[in-house]
Amino acid sequence: MDAKTVCLGLLSFGEASGYDLKKHVESSGDLFFATGFGSIYPALAALSSKGLIERSRTTGGGRRDRKVYRITPTGRSELSRRLAMAEPRHTLRSELFALLYFSHLLSTDRLTQIVDERLAAMIADARTEDLTESSLMHPKPSRAQFVAGLRRALLETTIRYTRDHRKLLEPS
Amino acid sequence: MDAKTVCLGLLSFGEASGYDLKKHVESSGDLFFATGFGSIYPALAALSSKGLIERSRTTGGGRRDRKVYRITPTGRSELSRRLAMAEPRHTLRSELFALLYFSHLLSTDRLTQIVDERLAAMIADARTEDLTESSLMHPKPSRAQFVAGLRRALLETTIRYTRDHRKLLEPS
DNA sequence: CGCAACATGTAAGCGGTTACATGATTAC
DNA sequence: GTAATCATGTAACCGCTTACATGTTGCG
């Protein structure tokens, strides 16, 4: 999903600044997209110029230059339209997948190291989950719970599968 | 993983044409990347100009203009280098995830329709798996088996989870 | 004969990543 | 005071996607 739609979607939960949005995306584990400020600020500017969002407040708690955006009615209906048209594919891609596919070109030591590292990171990740206590979404909507739970289930499956089938990665 | 590395990686299993590579990627369910010819041919041209791959045969079985590429020793070591340097993240993204996250903006009917469609597609997908009888990889390497099995396990988890927690998607 | 699959490529445009650039506020 | 975090933005580049363009081979 492209940056503009994600920003618009997140703003449908409540008002936020570009910084807030970035934090929220990060804290939900880069679930549906990962990005830097270089994507978010231009996206907000574009949405704003189309009238899909607007500035609500500019200073909000002692901090300098804080630009808080709010979705407009036009923005909300445009978002609904886009989502209704979408044909969302569930194609799971991962850099880890890709690397393991070509792991015959890796030394056994390096491969062991990578798998151990990733396994540890995933275990930590699966535990950490649900610290998504962002200011957007006070009571966490049930759909966000659905997605977070699914993400966790997928992580757990990956961990279990990798442990059980690790032998397949050894040189034959 | 970028198009060039994927092409180089696939050619490490054996010689192939651009068309073959596309077919192989498709038949493995767009596992680590999905692309059209518009990515593959330029990638092959770039790899070729750097000496990482080379043309082996030009006609191979009655077909016109068939350009079969082969990885060079330089290409193989360059690929090893790239793979060894990589820090592969296992970040699972899916358009379906994203849409469901914002599903409060969808009508109940449309949501039901989308979930049913995706579920059916995933079930079909999980069954079809392992028709990857491409000319590359005669005896399927065990790493390819690992990755294909993991993909299947993740699909099955998604199907089960969606069935079990579908209620969370209903309007509250 | 016509259609599907085989087969390769180019060019424009779009969008995201990366690096750069700046400055305020808070906590130690 | 100084480092980390808060906070926003710009510009260049890179690479992928999409659409276009073309021609062959084999099957029914």
Side-chain angles (χ1 to χ4, degrees):
Chain A
M1 188 173 281
D2 62 291
K4 272 184 272 191
T5 309
V6 171
C7 289
L8 200 52
L10 291 176
L11 289 173
S12 79
F13 293 112
E15 54 175 35
S17 67
Y19 198 84
D20 293 336
L21 295 178
K22 170 93 191 310
K23 288 289 139 182
H24 181 85
V25 168
E26 260 173 23
S27 73
S28 40
D30 293 325
L31 194 54
F32 33 79
F33 98 134
T35 195
F37 294 116
S39 303
I40 286 180
Y41 290 118
L44 290 175
L47 291 169
S48 193
S49 78
K50 282 179 197 157
L52 305 178
I53 60 175
E54 64 189 8
R55 295 250 285 272
S56 54
R57 291 175 282 129
T58 294
T59 39
R63 279 187 188 79
R64 193 212 90 165
D65 238 9
R66 208 172 140 69
K67 292 182 183 171
V68 180
Y69 292 92
R70 182 206 297 151
I71 194 168
T72 63
T74 319
R76 200 171 285 270
S77 64
E78 168 63 15
L79 177 58
S80 295
R81 206 184 54 78
R82 277 193 215 174
L83 294 176
M85 281 199 338
E87 293 182 37
R89 325 255 283 113
H90 184 63
T91 308
L92 297 172
R93 261 166 232 157
S94 136
E95 286 292 307
L96 185 60
F97 271 177
L99 186 70
L100 295 180
Y101 207 78
F102 302 130
S103 59
H104 55 294
L105 291 159
L106 241 41
S107 73
T108 313
D109 284 354
R110 178 68 180 133
L111 178 60
T112 305
Q113 190 194 11
I114 286 175
V115 175
D116 285 342
E117 266 175 30
R118 284 306 107 201
L119 227 30
M122 285 189 267
I123 289 166
D125 205 3
R127 268 196 207 118
T128 314
E129 184 249 1
D130 255 347
L131 290 183
T132 323
E133 282 309 323
S134 142
S135 54
L136 273 169
M137 305 189 190
H138 307 302
K140 195 160 179 169
S142 58
R143 305 125 226 147
Q145 279 170 40
F146 177 94
V147 174
L150 178 49
R151 174 170 170 273
R152 182 144 170 234
L154 292 175
L155 269 176
E156 280 164 2
T157 296
T158 308
I159 294 164
R160 200 179 328 111
Y161 183 93
T162 305
R163 276 185 182 144
D164 294 348
H165 299 83
R166 207 172 161 160
K167 266 168 294 181
L168 287 173
L169 296 173
E170 286 166 13
S172 44
Chain B
M1 187 172 282
D2 62 289
K4 272 185 274 194
T5 309
V6 171
C7 288
L8 201 51
L10 290 176
L11 288 173
S12 79
F13 293 112
E15 54 176 33
S17 68
Y19 197 83
D20 291 337
L21 295 178
K22 169 92 191 312
K23 288 288 140 183
H24 182 84
V25 167
E26 260 174 23
S27 73
S28 40
D30 294 325
L31 194 53
F32 32 79
F33 101 135
T35 194
F37 294 115
S39 304
I40 286 181
Y41 290 118
L44 290 174
L47 291 169
S48 193
S49 78
K50 282 179 195 154
L52 304 179
I53 60 175
E54 62 188 9
R55 296 252 283 274
S56 54
R57 292 174 283 129
T58 294
T59 39
R63 277 184 190 80
R64 195 213 91 168
D65 240 8
R66 208 173 141 68
K67 292 183 184 172
V68 180
Y69 292 92
R70 181 205 298 152
I71 195 168
T72 62
T74 319
R76 200 172 284 269
S77 63
E78 168 63 16
L79 177 59
S80 295
R81 203 183 58 76
R82 278 192 215 175
L83 294 176
M85 284 198 336
E87 293 182 38
R89 326 256 281 115
H90 185 63
T91 308
L92 297 173
R93 258 165 235 158
S94 135
E95 286 291 305
L96 184 60
F97 272 176
L99 185 71
L100 294 180
Y101 207 78
F102 302 130
S103 59
H104 55 293
L105 290 158
L106 241 42
S107 72
T108 314
D109 284 352
R110 177 70 179 132
L111 179 60
T112 304
Q113 190 193 12
I114 287 174
V115 174
D116 286 342
E117 265 175 31
R118 284 305 109 199
L119 225 32
M122 286 188 266
I123 289 165
D125 205 3
R127 267 196 207 120
T128 315
E129 183 250 2
D130 254 349
L131 290 183
T132 323
E133 283 309 325
S134 139
S135 54
L136 273 169
M137 306 190 188
H138 305 303
K140 196 160 178 169
S142 57
R143 307 124 223 146
Q145 279 171 38
F146 177 95
V147 174
L150 178 48
R151 173 171 171 273
R152 184 148 168 227
L154 292 176
L155 268 175
E156 281 163 1
T157 297
T158 308
I159 294 164
R160 203 180 324 110
Y161 183 94
T162 305
R163 277 186 182 145
D164 294 349
H165 299 84
R166 205 172 164 161
K167 265 169 294 182
L168 288 172
L169 295 174
E170 286 167 14
S172 41

Coordinates of all heavy atoms in Angstrom, one line a residue, chain A residues 61-136:
Chain A
G61 N 1.3 21.4 22.8 CA 1.9 20.9 24.0 C 3.3 21.3 24.2 O 4.1 20.6 24.8
G62 N 3.6 22.5 23.8 CA 4.9 23.1 24.1 C 6.0 22.8 23.0 O 7.0 23.4 23.0
R63 N 5.6 21.9 22.1 CA 6.6 21.6 21.1 C 6.5 22.5 19.9 O 5.4 23.0 19.5 CB 6.4 20.1 20.6 CG 7.0 19.2 21.6 CD 7.0 17.8 21.0 NE 7.5 16.9 22.1 CZ 6.7 16.5 23.1 NH1 5.5 16.9 23.2 NH2 7.2 15.6 24.0
R64 N 7.6 22.7 19.3 CA 7.8 23.7 18.2 C 7.2 23.1 16.9 O 7.5 22.0 16.6 CB 9.3 23.9 18.1 CG 9.6 25.1 17.2 CD 10.9 24.9 16.5 NE 10.6 24.2 15.2 CZ 11.5 24.1 14.2 NH1 12.7 24.5 14.3 NH2 11.2 23.5 13.1
D65 N 6.6 23.9 16.2 CA 6.3 23.7 14.8 C 5.5 22.4 14.5 O 5.7 21.7 13.5 CB 7.6 23.5 14.0 CG 7.7 24.6 12.9 OD1 6.8 25.4 12.8 OD2 8.6 24.5 12.1
R66 N 4.7 22.0 15.5 CA 4.0 20.8 15.3 C 2.8 20.9 14.4 O 1.9 21.7 14.7 CB 3.5 20.4 16.7 CG 3.4 18.9 16.9 CD 3.1 18.6 18.4 NE 2.1 17.5 18.5 CZ 2.4 16.3 18.2 NH1 3.6 16.0 17.7 NH2 1.5 15.4 18.3
K67 N 2.7 20.2 13.3 CA 1.6 20.3 12.4 C 0.7 19.0 12.5 O 1.1 18.0 12.1 CB 2.2 20.4 11.0 CG 2.9 21.7 10.7 CD 3.3 21.8 9.3 CE 4.1 23.1 9.1 NZ 4.8 23.1 7.7
V68 N -0.4 19.3 13.1 CA -1.3 18.2 13.3 C -2.4 18.1 12.2 O -3.0 19.1 11.9 CB -2.0 18.2 14.7 CG1 -2.9 17.1 14.9 CG2 -0.9 18.3 15.8
Y69 N -2.5 17.0 11.6 CA -3.4 16.9 10.4 C -4.7 16.1 10.8 O -4.7 15.2 11.7 CB -2.8 16.2 9.3 CG -1.7 17.0 8.6 CD1 -0.4 16.8 9.0 CD2 -2.0 17.9 7.6 CE1 0.6 17.6 8.4 CE2 -1.0 18.6 7.0 CZ 0.3 18.5 7.4 OH 1.3 19.2 6.8
R70 N -5.7 16.4 10.1 CA -7.0 15.8 10.4 C -7.6 15.4 9.0 O -7.5 16.1 8.0 CB -7.9 16.8 11.0 CG -9.3 16.4 11.4 CD -10.3 17.6 11.5 NE -9.9 18.6 12.5 CZ -10.1 19.9 12.4 NH1 -10.7 20.4 11.4 NH2 -9.8 20.7 13.4
I71 N -8.3 14.3 8.9 CA -8.9 13.9 7.7 C -10.2 14.7 7.4 O -10.9 15.0 8.4 CB -9.2 12.4 7.6 CG1 -9.5 11.9 6.2 CG2 -10.3 12.0 8.6 CD1 -9.5 10.3 6.1
T72 N -10.4 15.0 6.2 CA -11.7 15.8 5.8 C -12.7 14.8 5.4 O -12.4 13.6 5.0 CB -11.4 16.8 4.7 OG1 -11.0 16.0 3.5 CG2 -10.3 17.8 5.0
P73 N -14.0 15.2 5.3 CA -15.0 14.3 4.8 C -14.7 13.8 3.4 O -14.9 12.6 3.1 CB -16.3 15.2 4.8 CG -16.0 16.2 5.9 CD -14.6 16.5 5.8
T74 N -14.2 14.7 2.5 CA -13.7 14.3 1.2 C -12.7 13.2 1.3 O -12.7 12.2 0.5 CB -13.1 15.5 0.4 OG1 -13.8 16.7 0.7 CG2 -13.0 15.3 -1.0
G75 N -11.7 13.4 2.2 CA -10.7 12.4 2.4 C -11.2 11.1 2.8 O -10.8 10.1 2.3
R76 N -12.2 11.1 3.7 CA -12.8 9.9 4.2 C -13.5 9.1 3.0 O -13.3 7.9 2.9 CB -13.7 10.2 5.3 CG -14.0 9.0 6.2 CD -14.8 9.4 7.4 NE -14.0 10.1 8.4 CZ -13.3 9.5 9.4 NH1 -13.4 8.2 9.5 NH2 -12.6 10.2 10.3
S77 N -14.2 9.9 2.2 CA -14.9 9.1 1.2 C -14.0 8.7 0.1 O -14.1 7.6 -0.5 CB -16.1 10.0 0.6 OG -15.6 11.1 0.0
E78 N -12.9 9.5 -0.2 CA -11.9 9.1 -1.2 C -11.2 7.8 -0.7 O -11.0 6.9 -1.5 CB -10.9 10.2 -1.4 CG -9.6 9.8 -2.1 CD -9.9 9.4 -3.6 OE1 -11.0 9.6 -4.1 OE2 -8.9 8.8 -4.1
L79 N -10.9 7.7 0.6 CA -10.3 6.6 1.2 C -11.2 5.3 1.0 O -10.7 4.3 0.6 CB -9.9 6.8 2.6 CG -9.3 5.7 3.4 CD1 -8.0 5.2 2.8 CD2 -9.0 6.1 4.9
S80 N -12.5 5.5 1.4 CA -13.4 4.4 1.3 C -13.5 3.9 -0.2 O -13.5 2.7 -0.4 CB -14.8 4.9 1.6 OG -14.9 5.2 3.0
R81 N -13.5 4.8 -1.1 CA -13.5 4.4 -2.5 C -12.3 3.6 -2.9 O -12.4 2.5 -3.5 CB -13.6 5.7 -3.3 CG -14.2 5.6 -4.7 CD -14.1 6.9 -5.5 NE -12.7 7.4 -5.6 CZ -11.8 6.9 -6.4 NH1 -12.1 5.9 -7.2 NH2 -10.6 7.4 -6.4
R82 N -11.1 4.1 -2.5 CA -9.9 3.4 -2.8 C -9.9 2.0 -2.2 O -9.5 1.0 -2.9 CB -8.7 4.1 -2.2 CG -8.2 5.2 -3.1 CD -6.9 5.7 -2.7 NE -6.8 7.2 -2.9 CZ -5.7 7.9 -2.5 NH1 -4.7 7.3 -1.8 NH2 -5.7 9.2 -2.7
L83 N -10.3 1.9 -0.9 CA -10.2 0.6 -0.3 C -11.2 -0.4 -0.9 O -10.9 -1.6 -1.0 CB -10.5 0.7 1.2 CG -9.5 1.5 2.0 CD1 -10.0 1.7 3.5 CD2 -8.1 0.9 2.0
A84 N -12.4 0.1 -1.3 CA -13.4 -0.7 -1.8 C -13.0 -1.3 -3.2 O -13.3 -2.4 -3.6 CB -14.7 0.0 -2.0
M85 N -12.2 -0.5 -3.9 CA -11.7 -0.9 -5.2 C -10.6 -1.9 -5.2 O -10.3 -2.6 -6.1 CB -11.2 0.3 -6.0 CG -12.3 1.1 -6.6 SD -11.6 2.2 -7.9 CE -9.9 2.2 -7.5
A86 N -9.8 -1.9 -4.1 CA -8.6 -2.7 -4.0 C -8.9 -4.2 -4.1 O -9.9 -4.7 -3.7 CB -7.9 -2.4 -2.6
E87 N -7.9 -4.9 -4.7 CA -7.9 -6.3 -4.7 C -6.6 -6.8 -4.0 O -5.6 -7.0 -4.6 CB -7.9 -6.8 -6.2 CG -9.1 -6.5 -6.9 CD -9.1 -7.1 -8.3 OE1 -8.6 -8.2 -8.5 OE2 -9.6 -6.4 -9.2
P88 N -6.8 -6.9 -2.7 CA -5.6 -7.1 -1.8 C -5.1 -8.5 -1.9 O -5.8 -9.5 -1.6 CB -6.2 -6.8 -0.4 CG -7.6 -7.2 -0.5 CD -8.0 -6.9 -1.9
R89 N -3.9 -8.7 -2.4 CA -3.2 -10.0 -2.4 C -2.5 -10.3 -1.1 O -2.0 -9.4 -0.5 CB -2.2 -10.0 -3.6 CG -2.6 -9.2 -4.8 CD -3.0 -10.0 -5.9 NE -1.9 -10.6 -6.7 CZ -1.8 -11.9 -6.7 NH1 -2.6 -12.7 -6.1 NH2 -0.8 -12.4 -7.4
H90 N -2.5 -11.5 -0.8 CA -1.8 -11.9 0.4 C -0.6 -12.7 0.0 O -0.5 -13.9 0.0 CB -2.7 -12.9 1.3 CG -2.0 -13.2 2.6 ND1 -1.7 -12.3 3.6 CD2 -1.7 -14.4 3.1 CE1 -1.2 -12.9 4.6 NE2 -1.1 -14.2 4.3
T91 N 0.4 -11.9 -0.5 CA 1.7 -12.4 -1.0 C 2.7 -12.1 0.1 O 3.1 -11.0 0.2 CB 2.1 -11.8 -2.3 OG1 1.0 -11.9 -3.2 CG2 3.3 -12.5 -2.9
L92 N 3.2 -13.2 0.7 CA 4.2 -13.0 1.8 C 5.6 -13.0 1.2 O 6.0 -14.0 0.7 CB 4.0 -14.0 2.9 CG 2.6 -13.9 3.6 CD1 2.5 -15.1 4.5 CD2 2.5 -12.6 4.3
R93 N 6.2 -11.9 1.3 CA 7.6 -11.8 0.9 C 8.5 -11.5 2.0 O 8.1 -10.8 3.0 CB 7.8 -10.7 -0.2 CG 7.8 -11.3 -1.6 CD 7.6 -10.2 -2.6 NE 6.5 -10.6 -3.5 CZ 5.8 -9.8 -4.2 NH1 6.0 -8.5 -4.1 NH2 4.8 -10.2 -5.0
S94 N 9.7 -11.9 2.0 CA 10.6 -11.7 3.0 C 12.0 -11.8 2.5 O 12.3 -12.7 1.6 CB 10.4 -12.7 4.2 OG 11.6 -13.2 4.7
E95 N 12.9 -10.9 2.9 CA 14.3 -11.0 2.5 C 15.0 -12.2 2.9 O 15.8 -12.8 2.3 CB 15.1 -9.8 3.0 CG 14.8 -8.4 2.3 CD 15.3 -8.4 0.9 OE1 16.5 -8.7 0.7 OE2 14.5 -8.1 0.0
L96 N 14.5 -12.7 4.1 CA 15.0 -14.0 4.6 C 14.7 -15.1 3.7 O 15.6 -16.0 3.4 CB 14.5 -14.2 6.0 CG 15.0 -15.4 6.8 CD1 16.5 -15.3 7.0 CD2 14.3 -15.6 8.1
F97 N 13.5 -15.2 3.3 CA 13.1 -16.2 2.3 C 14.1 -16.2 1.1 O 14.6 -17.3 0.7 CB 11.7 -15.8 1.6 CG 10.5 -16.3 2.3 CD1 9.3 -15.9 1.8 CD2 10.6 -17.1 3.4 CE1 8.1 -16.3 2.4 CE2 9.4 -17.5 4.0 CZ 8.2 -17.1 3.5
A98 N 14.3 -15.1 0.5 CA 15.1 -14.9 -0.7 C 16.5 -15.4 -0.4 O 17.1 -16.2 -1.2 CB 15.1 -13.5 -1.1
L99 N 17.1 -15.0 0.7 CA 18.4 -15.4 1.0 C 18.6 -16.9 1.2 O 19.5 -17.5 0.7 CB 18.9 -14.7 2.3 CG 20.4 -14.9 2.6 CD1 21.2 -14.2 1.6 CD2 20.7 -14.4 4.0
L100 N 17.6 -17.5 1.9 CA 17.7 -18.9 2.2 C 17.5 -19.7 0.9 O 18.1 -20.8 0.7 CB 16.6 -19.3 3.2 CG 16.8 -18.7 4.6 CD1 15.7 -19.2 5.5 CD2 18.2 -19.1 5.1
Y101 N 16.8 -19.2 -0.1 CA 16.6 -19.8 -1.4 C 18.0 -20.0 -2.0 O 18.2 -20.9 -2.8 CB 15.7 -18.9 -2.2 CG 14.9 -19.6 -3.3 CD1 13.8 -20.4 -2.9 CD2 15.3 -19.6 -4.6 CE1 13.1 -21.0 -3.9 CE2 14.6 -20.2 -5.6 CZ 13.4 -20.9 -5.2 OH 12.7 -21.6 -6.2
F102 N 18.9 -19.0 -1.8 CA 20.2 -19.0 -2.4 C 21.3 -19.4 -1.4 O 22.4 -19.1 -1.7 CB 20.5 -17.7 -3.1 CG 19.5 -17.2 -4.1 CD1 18.9 -16.0 -4.0 CD2 19.1 -18.1 -5.1 CE1 17.9 -15.6 -4.9 CE2 18.1 -17.7 -6.0 CZ 17.6 -16.4 -6.0
S103 N 20.9 -20.1 -0.4 CA 21.9 -20.3 0.7 C 23.0 -21.2 0.4 O 24.0 -21.4 1.1 CB 21.2 -20.7 2.0 OG 20.5 -21.9 1.7
H104 N 22.9 -21.9 -0.8 CA 24.0 -22.8 -1.2 C 25.3 -22.0 -1.5 O 26.4 -22.5 -1.6 CB 23.6 -23.6 -2.4 CG 23.2 -22.8 -3.6 ND1 22.0 -22.0 -3.5 CD2 23.7 -22.5 -4.8 CE1 21.8 -21.4 -4.7 NE2 22.8 -21.7 -5.5
L105 N 25.2 -20.7 -1.6 CA 26.3 -19.8 -1.9 C 26.9 -19.1 -0.7 O 27.7 -18.3 -0.7 CB 25.9 -18.7 -2.9 CG 25.7 -19.3 -4.3 CD1 24.8 -18.4 -5.2 CD2 27.0 -19.6 -5.0
L106 N 26.4 -19.6 0.5 CA 26.8 -19.0 1.8 C 27.7 -20.1 2.5 O 27.4 -21.3 2.4 CB 25.6 -18.7 2.6 CG 25.3 -17.3 3.0 CD1 25.6 -16.3 1.9 CD2 23.9 -17.2 3.5
S107 N 28.6 -19.6 3.2 CA 29.4 -20.6 4.0 C 28.5 -21.1 5.1 O 27.6 -20.4 5.6 CB 30.6 -19.9 4.6 OG 30.2 -19.0 5.7
T108 N 28.8 -22.3 5.6 CA 27.9 -22.9 6.6 C 27.9 -22.0 7.9 O 26.8 -21.9 8.5 CB 28.5 -24.3 7.0 OG1 28.8 -25.0 5.8 CG2 27.5 -25.1 7.8
D109 N 29.1 -21.5 8.2 CA 29.1 -20.6 9.4 C 28.3 -19.4 9.3 O 27.5 -19.0 10.2 CB 30.6 -20.2 9.7 CG 31.4 -21.3 10.3 OD1 30.8 -22.4 10.6 OD2 32.6 -21.1 10.4
R110 N 28.4 -18.7 8.2 CA 27.6 -17.5 7.9 C 26.1 -17.8 7.9 O 25.3 -17.1 8.5 CB 28.0 -16.9 6.6 CG 27.3 -15.6 6.2 CD 27.6 -14.4 7.1 NE 26.8 -13.2 6.7 CZ 26.1 -12.5 7.5 NH1 26.1 -12.7 8.8 NH2 25.5 -11.4 7.1
L111 N 25.8 -18.9 7.3 CA 24.3 -19.3 7.3 C 23.8 -19.6 8.7 O 22.7 -19.1 9.1 CB 24.2 -20.6 6.5 CG 22.8 -21.2 6.4 CD1 21.8 -20.2 5.7 CD2 22.8 -22.5 5.5
T112 N 24.6 -20.3 9.5 CA 24.2 -20.6 10.9 C 24.0 -19.3 11.6 O 23.0 -19.1 12.4 CB 25.3 -21.4 11.6 OG1 25.5 -22.6 10.8 CG2 24.9 -21.8 13.0
Q113 N 24.9 -18.4 11.4 CA 24.9 -17.1 12.1 C 23.6 -16.3 11.7 O 22.9 -15.8 12.6 CB 26.1 -16.3 11.7 CG 26.4 -15.0 12.5 CD 27.4 -14.1 11.8 OE1 27.8 -14.4 10.7 NE2 27.8 -13.1 12.5
I114 N 23.3 -16.3 10.5 CA 22.2 -15.5 10.0 C 20.9 -16.2 10.5 O 20.0 -15.4 11.1 CB 22.1 -15.5 8.4 CG1 23.2 -14.6 7.9 CG2 20.7 -15.1 7.9 CD1 23.3 -14.5 6.4
V115 N 20.8 -17.5 10.5 CA 19.6 -18.1 11.0 C 19.4 -17.9 12.5 O 18.3 -17.5 12.9 CB 19.5 -19.6 10.6 CG1 18.3 -20.3 11.2 CG2 19.5 -19.8 9.1
D116 N 20.5 -18.0 13.2 CA 20.4 -17.8 14.7 C 20.0 -16.4 15.0 O 19.1 -16.1 15.8 CB 21.8 -18.1 15.3 CG 22.0 -19.6 15.4 OD1 21.1 -20.4 15.3 OD2 23.2 -19.9 15.6
E117 N 20.6 -15.4 14.3 CA 20.2 -14.0 14.5 C 18.8 -13.7 14.2 O 18.1 -13.1 15.0 CB 21.0 -13.1 13.5 CG 22.3 -12.6 14.0 CD 23.1 -11.8 12.9 OE1 22.4 -11.3 12.0 OE2 24.3 -11.8 12.9
R118 N 18.3 -14.2 13.1 CA 16.9 -14.0 12.7 C 15.9 -14.6 13.6 O 14.9 -14.0 14.0 CB 16.7 -14.5 11.2 CG 17.2 -13.6 10.2 CD 16.8 -12.2 10.2 NE 17.8 -11.3 10.7 CZ 17.6 -10.1 11.2 NH1 16.4 -9.7 11.4 NH2 18.6 -9.4 11.6
L119 N 16.3 -15.8 14.0 CA 15.4 -16.6 15.0 C 15.3 -15.8 16.3 O 14.2 -15.6 16.8 CB 16.1 -17.9 15.2 CG 15.2 -19.2 15.2 CD1 14.0 -19.1 14.3 CD2 16.1 -20.4 14.9
A120 N 16.4 -15.3 16.8 CA 16.4 -14.5 18.0 C 15.6 -13.2 17.9 O 14.8 -12.9 18.7 CB 17.9 -14.1 18.4
A121 N 15.8 -12.6 16.7 CA 15.0 -11.3 16.5 C 13.5 -11.6 16.4 O 12.7 -10.8 16.9 CB 15.5 -10.7 15.1
M122 N 13.2 -12.7 15.8 CA 11.7 -13.0 15.6 C 11.1 -13.4 17.0 O 10.0 -13.0 17.3 CB 11.6 -14.2 14.6 CG 11.7 -13.8 13.2 SD 11.3 -15.1 12.1 CE 12.9 -15.9 11.8
I123 N 11.9 -14.1 17.8 CA 11.4 -14.5 19.1 C 11.1 -13.2 20.0 O 10.1 -13.1 20.6 CB 12.4 -15.4 19.8 CG1 12.3 -16.8 19.1 CG2 12.0 -15.6 21.3 CD1 13.5 -17.7 19.5
A124 N 12.1 -12.3 19.9 CA 11.9 -11.0 20.6 C 10.7 -10.3 20.1 O 9.9 -9.8 20.9 CB 13.2 -10.2 20.5
D125 N 10.6 -10.3 18.8 CA 9.5 -9.6 18.1 C 8.2 -10.1 18.5 O 7.2 -9.4 18.8 CB 9.7 -9.8 16.6 CG 9.1 -8.7 15.8 OD1 8.6 -7.7 16.4 OD2 9.1 -8.7 14.6
A126 N 8.0 -11.4 18.5 CA 6.8 -12.1 18.8 C 6.4 -11.8 20.3 O 5.2 -11.7 20.6 CB 6.9 -13.6 18.6
R127 N 7.4 -11.6 21.2 CA 7.1 -11.3 22.6 C 6.7 -9.8 22.7 O 5.8 -9.5 23.5 CB 8.3 -11.6 23.4 CG 8.3 -13.0 24.0 CD 9.2 -13.2 25.1 NE 9.6 -14.6 25.1 CZ 10.8 -15.1 25.0 NH1 11.8 -14.2 24.8 NH2 11.1 -16.3 25.0
T128 N 7.5 -8.9 22.1 CA 7.3 -7.5 22.3 C 5.9 -7.0 21.9 O 5.3 -6.2 22.5 CB 8.2 -6.7 21.4 OG1 9.5 -7.3 21.5 CG2 8.3 -5.3 21.8
E129 N 5.4 -7.6 20.9 CA 4.1 -7.3 20.3 C 3.0 -6.7 21.2 O 3.0 -7.0 22.4 CB 3.5 -8.6 19.6 CG 2.2 -8.4 18.9 CD 1.0 -9.0 19.6 OE1 1.2 -9.6 20.7 OE2 -0.1 -8.9 19.1
D130 N 2.3 -5.8 20.7 CA 1.2 -5.1 21.5 C 1.6 -4.0 22.4 O 1.0 -3.7 23.4 CB 0.3 -6.1 22.2 CG -1.0 -6.3 21.5 OD1 -1.3 -5.5 20.6 OD2 -1.7 -7.2 21.8
L131 N 2.8 -3.5 22.1 CA 3.2 -2.3 22.8 C 2.7 -1.1 22.0 O 3.0 0.1 22.2 CB 4.7 -2.2 23.0 CG 5.3 -3.2 24.0 CD1 6.7 -3.0 24.2 CD2 4.6 -3.0 25.3
T132 N 1.9 -1.4 21.0 CA 1.3 -0.4 20.1 C 0.3 0.5 20.9 O -0.9 0.6 20.6 CB 0.6 -1.0 18.9 OG1 1.3 -2.1 18.5 CG2 0.4 0.0 17.8
E133 N 0.8 1.2 21.9 CA -0.1 2.0 22.7 C 0.1 3.5 22.2 O 0.5 4.3 22.9 CB 0.1 1.9 24.2 CG -0.5 0.7 24.8 CD -2.0 0.5 24.4 OE1 -2.7 1.5 24.3 OE2 -2.4 -0.7 24.2
S134 N -0.3 3.6 20.9 CA -0.1 5.0 20.3 C -1.3 5.8 20.7 O -2.4 5.4 21.1 CB 0.0 4.8 18.8 OG -0.7 5.7 18.1
S135 N -1.1 7.1 20.5 CA -2.2 8.0 20.8 C -3.4 7.9 19.9 O -4.6 8.1 20.2 CB -1.7 9.5 20.9 OG -1.1 9.8 19.6
L136 N -3.1 7.6 18.7 CA -4.1 7.2 17.7 C -4.7 5.9 18.3 O -3.9 5.1 18.9 CB -3.5 6.8 16.4 CG -3.2 7.9 15.3 CD1 -2.4 7.3 14.2 CD2 -4.5 8.4 14.8

